Amino acid sequence: MTKKSINILIFSSTWSFIIGILTALYLNLVNYIINFIWGYFNHHANFPLRPIYPFLICIPFGIVIGLLTKKLGSYPLTIEEVLHDVRKNGKLDYHSWWKSFTLGLLSLGAGGSIGPEASTTVLSSGMINWLGDKIRLISTQASGWVHFWQISIDKDKLLRTPNFNSLFNSKNHKKFFILFNILIGVIGTIIVFTLFPEEGAFGIHKRPINWSWSILWYSLIPVIIGIIFGYFFLYFEKVFTKAEAWRLHTIFKATLWGIVLSLLTLITNYVLFSGEFHIVPFSKTALSYSPSFLLLIALIKTFSTHAGFAMGWRGGKIFPAIFASVAVGAAVAQFLPIQPVITVSILVVASTTIILEKPLLSAILLIFLLPISLAPIIFITVYIVITIHKFLLKKIGLKSLIY
């Protein structure tokens, strides 16, 4: 290995470690802001201002979100928009990262029914693209170094550098380099979460499962209902995508949603936030609610996620979708003679697989969220559902319901 190659590896691994730390710190910052604004509301049922508190928060935040959206544009970008930009341009423009950062934090802090995965993807992808450009610049320098801590990049110099792929001798060389730096970044993220732990949805959850042959027959019901709910969730998304084109003033739309969101809290507080930190606690108490109320929660959650997004409160939709699926699963579980956790888990797996259309991602995500003992069922359900989904897409002549 040449001296320049060693310098590039040291440079890339150092910054990959920093990127991992910054990504984790952003997620912790999101949780800190939500707890700072909503902590007393969430933990004190006898809070005197509790009924009107969402109005005091959501409406002013809605005005601010509208003002900034009018000035900066529609941010943060979604995961789909990030992937589209990468496919189209080969990279993500990271110069507008602060727009996704600012509007993402505002929508999340205001209690919007959206998750942090959208803004997190924009920020981490932007930092990774920035690192790639810095590595390209380093490759043209005789010493192998280009101002190690300098953040800015000379665009004119960048245009004269070779593209990222040409820096490697082979595809395996490139794969090793990327995987190595991903591992370093993950280590940085883990260190932050270890030093500043946040109680969240993720973790290896253990729960005793009562296995029986009846599960094979009754599991068909949550699979079918989960698929239906997945399509329902995507249908709502398409409906409210059209609402984004409504000729309403940007500030008016964002403020209006602040009012609507506040009104919906009079029905259920589960309308607030992505549901990420409520999924596990909610699953333990959901059976105490009536099936009709659980279905109402799922409907409101689906509506608030897509309608809020269309009104300018943008963010991720994965965790709201999972939360709504848990509510539907808990409603169905009250009518089946098998363990409720099995019914809920299968339905969540089925709906999430349809919504994401990424079977492996769905399986890995839900293994960390659902009881680990259900891992075999998770993989089997994902395979069955994605097979059915592809068959149905082929019948109607579509490749996807997302793109």
Side-chain angles (χ1 to χ4, degrees):
M1 184 178 290
T2 65
K3 183 179 179 181
K4 182 180 289 187
S5 297
I6 294 174
N7 287 341
I8 289 176
L9 190 62
I10 294 172
F11 180 90
S12 65
S13 59
T14 301
W15 274 105
S16 293
F17 185 73
I18 294 171
I19 288 172
I21 289 175
L22 292 175
T23 300
L25 287 176
Y26 172 73
L27 290 171
N28 274 357
L29 177 63
V30 169
N31 297 330
Y32 173 80
I33 289 176
I34 291 175
N35 286 331
F36 179 78
I37 297 173
W38 295 94
Y40 209 84
F41 175 85
N42 287 333
H43 303 300
H44 294 81
N46 57 350
F47 181 34
L49 296 176
R50 188 176 179 84
I52 64 169
Y53 190 77
F55 293 87
L56 300 177
I57 300 297
C58 297
I59 297 175
F61 266 91
I63 296 172
V64 175
I65 291 170
L67 286 168
L68 288 178
T69 300
K70 185 177 185 302
K71 185 174 182 179
L72 303 179
S74 298
Y75 290 92
L77 300 178
T78 64
I79 296 175
E80 290 78 18
E81 288 170 335
V82 170
L83 293 173
H84 177 266
D85 284 354
V86 172
R87 290 193 196 99
K88 182 179 179 181
N89 305 315
K91 60 183 295 184
L92 178 69
D93 180 14
Y94 47 80
H95 297 95
S96 299
W97 67 270
W98 59 277
K99 297 179 182 179
S100 289
F101 177 86
T102 303
L103 279 164
L105 277 183
L106 280 172
S107 297
L108 291 163
S113 181
I114 37 89
E117 61 270 20
S119 51
T120 304
T121 299
V122 173
L123 295 175
S124 58
S125 299
M127 288 188 286
I128 291 169
N129 274 272
W130 170 86
L131 178 57
D133 286 347
K134 291 289 285 186
I135 292 171
R136 287 170 59 195
L137 287 173
I138 287 178
S139 68
T140 64
Q141 303 297 308
S143 63
W145 296 91
V146 179
H147 305 294
F148 193 93
W149 298 111
Q150 183 178 338
I151 303 299
S152 62
I153 290 179
D154 190 321
K155 292 183 179 180
D156 293 331
K157 286 185 178 179
L158 188 63
L159 291 173
R160 297 192 296 270
T161 61
N163 63 49
F164 187 75
N165 291 331
S166 65
L167 301 178
F168 304 96
N169 299 326
S170 64
K171 288 185 178 180
N172 288 335
H173 181 204
K174 178 184 173 182
K175 287 180 181 179
F176 170 80
F177 181 84
I178 293 174
L179 288 174
F180 174 78
N181 283 284
I182 289 175
L183 178 61
I184 296 297
V186 169
I187 291 172
T189 302
I190 291 173
I191 288 175
V192 172
F193 285 149
T194 302
L195 294 175
F196 307 99
E198 290 283 350
E199 184 182 356
F202 288 107
I204 302 300
H205 302 284
K206 296 181 179 179
R207 187 178 295 189
I209 303 298
N210 300 322
W211 299 103
S212 65
W213 288 107
S214 60
I215 293 174
L216 291 175
W217 303 108
Y218 287 108
S219 62
L220 294 175
I221 297 174
V223 166
I224 294 170
I225 296 177
I227 291 174
I228 293 172
F229 180 73
Y231 289 137
F232 173 78
F233 190 89
L234 291 176
Y235 173 75
F236 252 61
E237 184 174 47
K238 290 188 180 297
V239 168
F240 282 101
T241 297
K242 297 177 182 178
E244 292 184 65
W246 288 352
R247 293 185 178 180
L248 297 175
H249 197 281
T250 304
I251 300 174
F252 174 76
K253 285 202 298 185
T255 306
L256 176 62
W257 181 247
I259 297 171
V260 174
L261 183 62
S262 303
L263 289 170
L264 289 174
T265 62
L266 299 177
I267 302 174
T268 174
N269 291 330
Y270 287 125
V271 70
L272 297 170
F273 319 118
S274 68
E276 174 187 355
F277 293 96
H278 295 149
I279 290 172
V280 175
F282 177 68
S283 65
K284 296 176 181 178
T285 60
L287 293 177
S288 62
Y289 298 120
S290 68
S292 58
F293 186 65
L294 288 168
L295 293 177
L296 179 63
I297 290 175
L299 177 61
I300 290 176
K301 195 68 179 172
T302 301
F303 168 78
S304 62
T305 299
H306 296 311
F309 188 96
M311 294 295 193
W313 293 47
R314 293 168 61 93
K317 300 179 181 180
I318 296 175
F319 284 108
I322 293 175
F323 185 89
S325 299
V326 170
V328 175
V332 174
Q334 297 185 38
F335 297 96
L336 298 181
I338 57 175
Q339 201 170 356
V341 65
I342 297 175
T343 299
V344 173
S345 297
I346 291 174
L347 194 145
V348 169
V349 173
S351 64
T352 304
T353 302
I354 294 294
I355 292 167
L356 294 181
E357 289 191 344
K358 294 179 176 62
L360 183 58
L361 174 62
S362 301
I364 294 174
L365 173 68
L366 295 174
I367 279 176
F368 285 97
L369 189 62
L370 302 173
I372 189 62
S373 49
L374 289 175
I377 287 182
I378 291 173
F379 279 103
I380 293 171
T381 304
V382 164
Y383 176 77
I384 292 172
V385 171
I386 200 64
T387 301
I388 295 172
H389 181 56
K390 288 181 178 179
F391 173 79
L392 294 175
L393 286 178
K394 188 176 180 180
K395 283 290 184 182
I396 60 176
L398 294 176
K399 291 184 178 180
S400 170
L401 293 179
I402 299 177
Y403 307 113

